[in-house]
Amino acid sequence: MREEILNLKNEALAQIMDVVSFDDLENLKISYLGRKGKINDFIKKIGELPQTDKKEIGNLINDSKKVIEVTLAKKKEGLTSSLLSKKEWFDLTIPGNKTSAGHFHPQTTVLNEILDIFKYLGYQIADGPEIEKDYYNFEVLNFPPEHPARDAQQTMFFDVSNTSFKEGQVIPRTHTSAMQGRVMEASKPPLRVIVPGRCFRYEQVDASHGVEFWQVEGFVVDKAVHLTDLFGTIEFVLKSLFGQSAKIKFATTFFPFVEPGVDAYLECTVCDGRGCTFCKQTGWSEIMPAGMIHPNVLSKSKIDSKIWNGFAFAIGLSRVVSLRYQIDDLRVLHTPDLRILKQF
Amino acid sequence: MLVPLSWLKEYVNIKLPLKDLMWKMTEIGLTTETYTKLGDDVILDIEVTPNRADWLSIVGIARELSALQNTPMKFPVVSEIASPKANLPFKINNDFKLCPRYSAISIKGVVQAPSPKWMQDYLTKISLRPINNLVDVTNYVMFEFGNPIHVFDYDKLKNAEMTIMTTKGGEKFTSVDEISYRLPKDAIIFKSGSEVVDLCGIKGGANSGVSKSTKNILILVAIYDGKLIRRTSQKLDLLSDASRIFERREDTGGTLLTLQRTVNLMTELAGGNIASEIADVKKEKLKLSKLTLSLSNLEKVLGIKIEDKEVLATLDRLNLSPILKNNLIECTIPTYRADLKIEEDLIEEVARLFGYNKFPKTLPYGATPKDKIAYFFDPKPKLRLKELMFGAGFIEIQTLSLTSEEFINKSQLNLDLHIKIANPVSKEYEYLRTSLIPSLLSAVKLNSDIKKLKLYELNKVYFGPIDQSQEVYKLSGLEVNTSFRKFKASLDLIFDRLKVKDYDIKITTVTKSLWHPTKSGVIEKGDEFIGTFGEIHPKVLQNFKIKEKVWGFELDEKTLEKLTKKIIYKAPNQHPPQIEDITLIIPDWVKASGVIATIKKSDTHVSEIELTDIYQKSHTFRIWYQDPKKTMSDNDVKIIHNKILSNLNKKFEVNEKI
């Protein structure tokens, strides 16, 4: 029996040496070491042996088993490394199958960024009606009735025939600034608010004008708000949106609902200030009209302007999107052409 | 406002190079982005903000540049008008409500001639056509000083008398440029005899203006009610250089000086003799208004301390005659600065001349607001929906809310529900849309070369009537060239991820609609209407010239948001499920939803059901059986299996395929 065991061991080692595939190796493992394998056949026979031989043969079987196990393991390692060293052709440049993922509209992406920036600064978001009263769109905002200040806000009017409304009493809002009065009169200061939304203007449609556009209005009301805070906020927001190297400058302007009035210019991100069609060759883009909230606006909104003051600003969302992606025609943003939309 | 640099330089020295000048002007509010070169002159194009009437004059802009550069102003020399040498009396019947002040004079024996070249050049440079010395002088002085001037032919005024009044409406009027108008109600006019001789503040009349035969003139520099001027000019769609000034409420103090300057130039260029005393008629003696600036408020609003000396010097440069007493600066406001009404206006004056770009930058200090504001808006639910649509492979579109009657009809929508614009830019943008589907359909048409399309939009729709208007957010999507089940998967995804369960689908019965009469339905949960989905009506597709089948949905975003359930973690079942496929023969009129609900309700151990295959009437359902406490045996499953089959048979006469 001793001889048979040694023969089995040698036979196994020889077979293992010759093996060239993982499958054959696995089969050998089963045929020698498996539950119904050859080694087990000997183990079963140990019982039949005389007591004196039992220990010796038992040890011999165990040793042979160990040698076979080790050899199998070594062979497996050898096979693995020889397989890996073989030069197999595999083309990694084959394009993948198309995923089914969709696309966000660039305006969604940029608006989310803007909302995140303001959340970080502690602002709350408000959403309000696009069908607006003249009162909130103009009167609260200190637009004198029948004053040319209204001309800049080219206004459409709703057809109010057969209703109790007076002509011009309700309009498609011309700016989300209309929400200043609504939020202020119904909320307690201090306030930090932004209002994204659609606005409407009576404009002939061309590359830089539309009947509709999106604006993000923002305002802060607190006990001692400074012009420097407004400058700082505008700079923080524009640098967050356009990068820390963005260049910003401020100019005086007039809007009835702010005093002092501020206009923020961003160095054109398309031409880096050299002058191009985006910035009408000026190198700068008017991007964030703003100012300190006019005391009349506060008092009309039931906020005591002797205690509270604030600033307000508006971001032309469509303008930011077009500057970000160098879109030279505002109509692109609402043209549902997949050749456009799949770029984002 | 066009401003020739050469003309400006007559009143103020300009040291800055052109580019710097333009930016410096812009920085203080005189927005100057463009210019044109004309010979060796530069014509600046200045955007004048509606608060500043004084900037509609060269002198007004020069005054600003003098303050900006701190250089002296060279004001034109205006000499006293000589005593009358002739006698052309006139009578103006005034109404102070319409005209708070006027200055007038008559001149006898003017001689018409072309105006001198220098004057013609200036007028040409600001796009005015030189006519003759009489007309050119009035235009020149109006642009120089900012007060409109009107010259009447003295001999054409009946009895040299005219009366100011407002129109009743319907009066005929022919302007100096021979255009006839029917005047609206409440226009300010001068009548002489029975005729309208002047549409005040807008245009003079042909019947009384300067003509070739004019020899004797009446010069009138008047101030009119700006509101009425604006209203009339808008109603007639007639803007003039004068009306632009008047609607901004111009300088009540300037009439006399303007008249003197006009007469100086007129008599110099056209001769003639002064034929009356100056009539300078005003309601009350002009009192200059005072405005006080507190230095502490200045610092509070600006956020920095500017030296008192610098503040005073700045206000002085602006001719505001500042006097400092106890930390308060009292300013006297010149009549041409009617825009300065409150303390904040003075703060802006100091800040803008200090230079906005010299300010440090800070962020608001203090606690962030605690209370939830009115109109509070949480963008997350909409963003979540957009993410789900993104994951389901949809491309987001953003389109306009304004639409056309043609578009509404093409989509078989009810025009009566649409809110209408009274003054649309064009027919294309006349109504607010009540559905997002038409825009999506035109997107399908626009991309008709692409075979597989999945598009969506999340935006507002609007329902009339205008006095009970509603604005509602909708999530709407379309899928082209796909099977119903593939399309339905996107809807299932939304409901699954938002944890909206147990909703009903009801077949629609509306015949004229966007939706297919039999292959569309509404989704409801209890009383809540969630939305509509199904195939788009073939007629609508035909109207849009779309050849493929289109599936779509339009869901009410607010309702989805309301029904969305919070995710609450459940520990996964540790015992493996038993899974089996059952193939059932489902007759027509039996809804899959009913079959699935019946299987589900048959036993609590049915943990999941999936319809894996449909072949003709055979539906194969894969069913997961799972017990939270133990691994189920084949026999456990057998019992439930039989229960399911018996329930299905009882309820729908549905049987297993053998």
Side-chain angles (χ1 to χ4, degrees), chain B residues 23-81:
Chain B
W23 165 243
K24 276 287 164 197
M25 287 172 73
T26 303
E27 193 186 15
I28 61 164
L30 278 161
T31 310
T32 311
E33 287 185 336
T34 55
Y35 67 92
T36 41
K37 279 212 151 140
L38 208 73
D40 50 6
D41 205 355
V42 167
I43 320 294
L44 300 172
D45 190 354
I46 304 178
E47 285 171 45
V48 176
T49 49
N51 57 328
R52 295 294 297 259
D54 63 320
W55 284 348
L56 290 174
S57 69
I58 309 285
V59 161
I61 291 168
R63 246 184 328 236
E64 204 64 30
L65 289 180
S66 135
L68 171 71
Q69 303 180 120
N70 200 11
T71 48
M73 178 77 188
K74 297 177 280 180
F75 204 81
V77 180
V78 178
S79 33
E80 289 289 322
I81 297 173

Coordinates of all heavy atoms in Angstrom, one line a residue, chain B residues 23-81:
Chain B
W23 N -15.5 106.0 -19.6 CA -15.8 105.1 -18.4 C -16.1 106.0 -17.1 O -17.0 105.7 -16.4 CB -14.6 104.2 -18.1 CG -14.7 103.6 -16.7 CD1 -13.8 103.8 -15.7 CD2 -15.8 102.9 -16.2 NE1 -14.3 103.2 -14.6 CE2 -15.5 102.6 -14.8 CE3 -17.0 102.4 -16.7 CZ2 -16.3 101.9 -14.0 CZ3 -17.8 101.6 -15.9 CH2 -17.5 101.4 -14.5
K24 N -15.4 107.1 -17.0 CA -15.6 108.0 -15.8 C -17.0 108.5 -15.8 O -17.7 108.6 -14.8 CB -14.6 109.1 -15.8 CG -13.3 108.8 -15.1 CD -13.5 108.6 -13.6 CE -12.4 107.9 -12.9 NZ -12.8 107.5 -11.6
M25 N -17.5 108.9 -17.1 CA -18.9 109.3 -17.2 C -19.9 108.2 -16.8 O -20.8 108.5 -16.1 CB -19.1 109.8 -18.6 CG -18.4 111.2 -19.0 SD -18.5 111.6 -20.7 CE -20.3 112.1 -20.8
T26 N -19.6 107.0 -17.3 CA -20.4 105.9 -17.0 C -20.5 105.6 -15.5 O -21.5 105.4 -14.9 CB -19.9 104.6 -17.8 OG1 -19.9 104.9 -19.2 CG2 -20.8 103.4 -17.5
E27 N -19.3 105.7 -14.9 CA -19.2 105.4 -13.5 C -20.1 106.4 -12.6 O -20.7 106.0 -11.7 CB -17.7 105.5 -13.0 CG -17.6 104.9 -11.6 CD -16.2 105.1 -11.0 OE1 -15.4 105.9 -11.6 OE2 -15.8 104.4 -10.0
I28 N -20.2 107.6 -13.1 CA -21.0 108.6 -12.3 C -22.5 108.6 -12.8 O -23.3 109.4 -12.3 CB -20.4 110.0 -12.3 CG1 -20.4 110.6 -13.7 CG2 -19.1 110.0 -11.6 CD1 -20.2 112.1 -13.7
G29 N -22.8 107.8 -13.7 CA -24.2 107.7 -14.1 C -24.5 108.1 -15.5 O -25.6 107.9 -16.0
L30 N -23.6 108.8 -16.2 CA -23.8 109.2 -17.6 C -23.3 108.1 -18.5 O -22.2 108.2 -19.1 CB -22.9 110.5 -17.9 CG -23.5 111.8 -17.4 CD1 -22.4 112.9 -17.3 CD2 -24.6 112.3 -18.4
T31 N -24.1 107.0 -18.6 CA -23.6 105.8 -19.3 C -23.3 106.1 -20.7 O -24.1 106.6 -21.5 CB -24.7 104.8 -19.3 OG1 -25.1 104.6 -17.9 CG2 -24.2 103.4 -19.8
T32 N -22.0 106.0 -21.1 CA -21.5 106.3 -22.4 C -20.7 105.1 -22.9 O -19.6 104.9 -22.5 CB -20.5 107.5 -22.4 OG1 -21.2 108.5 -21.7 CG2 -20.2 108.0 -23.8
E33 N -21.4 104.2 -23.6 CA -20.7 103.0 -24.1 C -20.2 103.1 -25.5 O -19.3 102.4 -25.9 CB -21.6 101.8 -24.0 CG -21.8 101.4 -22.5 CD -22.7 100.1 -22.3 OE1 -23.5 99.8 -23.2 OE2 -22.5 99.5 -21.3
T34 N -20.8 104.0 -26.3 CA -20.4 104.1 -27.7 C -20.2 105.5 -28.2 O -20.7 106.5 -27.5 CB -21.5 103.4 -28.6 OG1 -22.7 104.0 -28.4 CG2 -21.6 101.9 -28.4
Y35 N -19.5 105.7 -29.2 CA -19.3 107.0 -29.8 C -19.1 106.8 -31.3 O -18.8 105.7 -31.8 CB -18.1 107.7 -29.2 CG -16.8 107.0 -29.5 CD1 -16.0 107.4 -30.6 CD2 -16.3 106.0 -28.7 CE1 -14.8 106.8 -30.9 CE2 -15.1 105.3 -29.0 CZ -14.4 105.7 -30.1 OH -13.2 105.1 -30.4
T36 N -19.2 107.9 -32.0 CA -18.9 107.9 -33.4 C -17.9 109.0 -33.7 O -17.9 110.1 -33.1 CB -20.1 108.0 -34.4 OG1 -20.9 109.1 -33.8 CG2 -20.9 106.8 -34.5
K37 N -17.0 108.8 -34.7 CA -16.0 109.8 -35.1 C -16.6 110.5 -36.3 O -17.2 109.9 -37.2 CB -14.7 109.2 -35.5 CG -13.9 108.8 -34.3 CD -12.4 109.0 -34.6 CE -11.6 109.3 -33.4 NZ -10.3 108.7 -33.2
L38 N -16.5 111.9 -36.2 CA -17.1 112.6 -37.3 C -16.0 113.7 -37.6 O -15.9 114.7 -36.9 CB -18.4 113.3 -36.9 CG -19.4 113.5 -38.0 CD1 -20.0 112.2 -38.5 CD2 -20.5 114.4 -37.6
G39 N -15.3 113.5 -38.7 CA -14.2 114.4 -39.0 C -13.2 114.4 -37.8 O -12.8 113.3 -37.4
D40 N -12.9 115.6 -37.3 CA -12.0 115.5 -36.1 C -12.8 115.7 -34.8 O -12.2 115.9 -33.8 CB -10.9 116.6 -36.2 CG -11.5 118.0 -36.6 OD1 -12.7 118.1 -36.6 OD2 -10.7 118.9 -36.8
D41 N -14.1 115.5 -34.9 CA -14.9 115.5 -33.7 C -15.3 114.1 -33.3 O -15.3 113.2 -34.1 CB -16.1 116.4 -34.0 CG -16.7 117.0 -32.7 OD1 -16.2 116.7 -31.6 OD2 -17.7 117.8 -32.8
V42 N -15.7 114.0 -32.0 CA -16.2 112.7 -31.5 C -17.6 113.0 -31.0 O -17.8 113.9 -30.3 CB -15.3 112.2 -30.4 CG1 -16.0 111.1 -29.6 CG2 -14.0 111.7 -30.9
I43 N -18.6 112.2 -31.4 CA -19.9 112.3 -30.9 C -20.2 111.2 -29.9 O -20.2 110.0 -30.3 CB -21.0 112.2 -32.1 CG1 -20.5 112.9 -33.4 CG2 -22.4 112.7 -31.6 CD1 -20.4 114.4 -33.3
L44 N -20.4 111.6 -28.7 CA -20.7 110.6 -27.6 C -22.1 110.3 -27.7 O -23.0 111.1 -27.9 CB -20.3 111.2 -26.3 CG -18.9 111.6 -26.0 CD1 -18.8 112.3 -24.7 CD2 -18.0 110.4 -26.1
D45 N -22.4 109.0 -27.4 CA -23.8 108.6 -27.4 C -24.1 108.2 -25.9 O -23.7 107.2 -25.4 CB -24.1 107.3 -28.2 CG -25.6 107.0 -28.4 OD1 -26.4 107.7 -27.7 OD2 -25.9 106.1 -29.2
I46 N -24.8 109.1 -25.2 CA -25.0 109.0 -23.8 C -26.4 108.5 -23.5 O -27.4 109.1 -24.0 CB -24.8 110.4 -23.1 CG1 -23.4 110.9 -23.4 CG2 -25.0 110.2 -21.6 CD1 -23.1 112.2 -22.8
E47 N -26.5 107.5 -22.7 CA -27.9 107.0 -22.3 C -28.3 107.8 -21.0 O -27.6 107.7 -20.0 CB -27.8 105.5 -21.8 CG -27.7 104.5 -23.0 CD -27.4 103.1 -22.5 OE1 -28.1 102.7 -21.5 OE2 -26.5 102.5 -23.0
V48 N -29.3 108.6 -21.2 CA -29.7 109.5 -20.1 C -30.8 108.8 -19.3 O -31.8 108.4 -19.8 CB -30.1 110.9 -20.6 CG1 -30.6 111.7 -19.4 CG2 -29.0 111.5 -21.3
T49 N -30.5 108.6 -18.0 CA -31.5 107.9 -17.1 C -32.7 108.8 -16.9 O -32.6 110.0 -17.0 CB -30.9 107.5 -15.8 OG1 -30.2 108.7 -15.2 CG2 -29.9 106.4 -15.9
P50 N -33.9 108.2 -16.7 CA -35.1 109.0 -16.7 C -35.3 110.0 -15.6 O -36.2 110.8 -15.5 CB -36.2 107.9 -16.7 CG -35.6 106.7 -16.3 CD -34.2 106.8 -16.6
N51 N -34.4 109.9 -14.6 CA -34.5 110.9 -13.5 C -33.8 112.2 -13.8 O -34.0 113.2 -13.0 CB -33.8 110.3 -12.2 CG -32.4 109.9 -12.4 OD1 -32.0 109.5 -13.5 ND2 -31.6 110.0 -11.4
R52 N -33.0 112.2 -14.8 CA -32.2 113.5 -15.0 C -32.6 114.2 -16.3 O -32.1 113.9 -17.4 CB -30.7 113.1 -15.1 CG -30.1 112.5 -13.9 CD -30.0 113.5 -12.7 NE -29.2 114.7 -13.0 CZ -28.0 114.8 -12.5 NH1 -27.4 113.8 -11.7 NH2 -27.3 115.9 -12.7
A53 N -33.5 115.2 -16.2 CA -33.8 116.0 -17.3 C -32.7 116.9 -17.7 O -32.5 117.2 -18.9 CB -35.1 116.9 -17.0
D54 N -31.9 117.3 -16.7 CA -30.8 118.3 -17.0 C -29.7 117.6 -17.9 O -29.0 118.3 -18.6 CB -30.2 118.8 -15.7 CG -29.5 117.7 -14.8 OD1 -30.1 116.6 -14.8 OD2 -28.4 117.9 -14.3
W55 N -29.6 116.3 -17.9 CA -28.6 115.7 -18.8 C -29.1 115.6 -20.2 O -28.4 115.1 -21.1 CB -28.3 114.3 -18.3 CG -27.4 114.3 -17.1 CD1 -26.7 115.3 -16.5 CD2 -27.1 113.2 -16.2 NE1 -26.0 114.9 -15.4 CE2 -26.2 113.6 -15.2 CE3 -27.5 111.8 -16.2 CZ2 -25.7 112.8 -14.2 CZ3 -27.0 111.0 -15.2 CH2 -26.1 111.5 -14.2
L56 N -30.3 116.1 -20.5 CA -30.7 116.2 -21.9 C -30.2 117.5 -22.5 O -30.8 118.1 -23.4 CB -32.2 116.0 -22.0 CG -32.8 114.6 -21.7 CD1 -34.3 114.6 -21.7 CD2 -32.2 113.6 -22.7
S57 N -29.2 118.1 -21.8 CA -28.7 119.4 -22.4 C -27.1 119.3 -22.3 O -26.6 118.7 -21.4 CB -29.2 120.6 -21.6 OG -28.6 120.6 -20.3
I58 N -26.5 120.0 -23.2 CA -25.0 120.0 -23.2 C -24.5 120.7 -22.0 O -23.6 120.2 -21.3 CB -24.5 120.8 -24.5 CG1 -25.2 120.2 -25.7 CG2 -23.0 120.7 -24.6 CD1 -24.8 118.9 -26.2
V59 N -25.1 121.8 -21.6 CA -24.7 122.5 -20.4 C -24.8 121.6 -19.1 O -23.9 121.6 -18.3 CB -25.5 123.8 -20.2 CG1 -25.4 124.4 -18.8 CG2 -24.9 124.9 -21.2
G60 N -25.9 120.9 -19.1 CA -26.1 120.0 -18.0 C -25.0 118.9 -17.9 O -24.5 118.6 -16.8
I61 N -24.6 118.4 -19.0 CA -23.6 117.4 -19.0 C -22.2 118.0 -18.7 O -21.4 117.5 -17.9 CB -23.5 116.6 -20.3 CG1 -24.8 115.7 -20.4 CG2 -22.3 115.7 -20.5 CD1 -25.1 115.2 -21.8
A62 N -22.0 119.2 -19.2 CA -20.8 119.9 -18.9 C -20.7 120.2 -17.4 O -19.6 120.1 -16.8 CB -20.7 121.2 -19.7
R63 N -21.8 120.6 -16.8 CA -21.8 120.8 -15.3 C -21.3 119.6 -14.6 O -20.6 119.7 -13.6 CB -23.2 121.2 -14.9 CG -23.4 122.6 -14.4 CD -24.8 122.9 -13.9 NE -25.9 122.3 -14.5 CZ -26.9 122.9 -15.1 NH1 -27.0 124.2 -15.2 NH2 -27.9 122.2 -15.6
E64 N -21.8 118.4 -15.0 CA -21.5 117.2 -14.4 C -20.0 116.9 -14.5 O -19.3 116.4 -13.6 CB -22.3 116.1 -15.1 CG -22.5 114.9 -14.2 CD -23.4 115.1 -13.0 OE1 -24.2 116.1 -13.0 OE2 -23.2 114.4 -12.0
L65 N -19.4 117.2 -15.8 CA -18.0 116.9 -16.0 C -17.2 117.9 -15.2 O -16.1 117.5 -14.7 CB -17.7 117.0 -17.5 CG -18.3 115.9 -18.3 CD1 -17.9 116.1 -19.8 CD2 -17.8 114.5 -17.8
S66 N -17.7 119.1 -15.0 CA -16.9 120.1 -14.2 C -16.8 119.6 -12.8 O -15.8 119.7 -12.1 CB -17.6 121.4 -14.3 OG -17.7 122.0 -13.1
A67 N -17.9 119.0 -12.3 CA -17.9 118.4 -10.9 C -17.0 117.2 -10.8 O -16.2 117.0 -9.9 CB -19.3 118.1 -10.5
L68 N -17.1 116.4 -11.9 CA -16.3 115.1 -11.9 C -14.8 115.4 -11.9 O -14.0 114.9 -11.2 CB -16.7 114.3 -13.1 CG -15.8 113.1 -13.4 CD1 -16.1 112.0 -12.4 CD2 -16.1 112.6 -14.8
Q69 N -14.4 116.4 -12.8 CA -13.0 116.7 -12.9 C -12.5 117.7 -12.0 O -11.3 118.0 -11.9 CB -12.7 117.2 -14.4 CG -13.1 116.2 -15.4 CD -12.8 116.8 -16.8 OE1 -12.1 116.2 -17.6 NE2 -13.3 118.0 -17.1
N70 N -13.4 118.4 -11.3 CA -13.1 119.5 -10.5 C -12.4 120.6 -11.3 O -11.4 121.1 -10.9 CB -12.2 119.1 -9.3 CG -12.2 120.1 -8.1 OD1 -13.1 121.0 -8.2 ND2 -11.4 119.9 -7.2
T71 N -13.0 120.9 -12.4 CA -12.5 122.0 -13.3 C -13.7 123.0 -13.4 O -14.8 122.6 -13.3 CB -12.1 121.5 -14.7 OG1 -13.2 120.7 -15.2 CG2 -10.8 120.7 -14.6
P72 N -13.3 124.3 -13.6 CA -14.4 125.3 -13.6 C -15.3 125.2 -14.9 O -14.9 124.7 -15.9 CB -13.7 126.6 -13.6 CG -12.3 126.3 -14.1 CD -12.0 124.9 -13.7
M73 N -16.5 125.6 -14.7 CA -17.5 125.6 -15.8 C -17.4 126.9 -16.5 O -17.3 128.0 -15.9 CB -18.8 125.5 -15.1 CG -20.0 125.5 -15.9 SD -20.2 123.9 -16.7 CE -21.6 124.3 -17.8
K74 N -17.4 126.9 -17.9 CA -17.4 128.1 -18.6 C -18.8 128.4 -19.1 O -19.2 127.9 -20.2 CB -16.4 128.0 -19.8 CG -15.0 127.8 -19.4 CD -14.1 127.7 -20.6 CE -14.1 126.2 -21.2 NZ -13.3 126.0 -22.4
F75 N -19.6 129.0 -18.3 CA -21.0 129.2 -18.7 C -21.1 130.2 -19.8 O -20.4 131.3 -19.8 CB -21.8 129.7 -17.4 CG -23.2 129.3 -17.5 CD1 -23.6 128.0 -17.2 CD2 -24.1 130.3 -17.9 CE1 -25.0 127.7 -17.2 CE2 -25.5 129.9 -17.9 CZ -25.9 128.7 -17.6
P76 N -22.0 130.0 -20.8 CA -22.1 131.0 -21.9 C -22.6 132.4 -21.3 O -23.4 132.4 -20.4 CB -23.2 130.4 -22.8 CG -23.8 129.3 -22.0 CD -22.9 128.9 -21.0
V77 N -22.1 133.4 -21.9 CA -22.5 134.7 -21.5 C -23.9 135.1 -21.9 O -24.2 135.0 -23.1 CB -21.5 135.8 -22.0 CG1 -21.8 137.2 -21.5 CG2 -20.0 135.4 -21.6
V78 N -24.7 135.4 -21.0 CA -26.1 135.7 -21.4 C -26.3 137.2 -21.0 O -26.1 137.6 -19.8 CB -27.1 134.9 -20.6 CG1 -28.5 135.3 -21.0 CG2 -26.9 133.4 -21.0
S79 N -26.6 138.0 -21.9 CA -26.8 139.4 -21.6 C -28.2 139.8 -21.4 O -29.1 139.2 -22.0 CB -26.1 140.3 -22.6 OG -26.2 139.8 -23.9
E80 N -28.4 140.8 -20.6 CA -29.8 141.4 -20.4 C -30.4 141.7 -21.7 O -29.8 142.2 -22.6 CB -29.7 142.6 -19.5 CG -29.3 142.3 -18.0 CD -30.3 141.6 -17.3 OE1 -31.5 142.0 -17.5 OE2 -30.0 140.7 -16.5
I81 N -31.7 141.6 -21.7 CA -32.4 141.9 -22.9 C -32.7 143.5 -22.9 O -33.1 144.0 -21.9 CB -33.8 141.2 -23.0 CG1 -33.5 139.7 -23.2 CG2 -34.6 141.7 -24.2 CD1 -34.7 138.8 -23.1

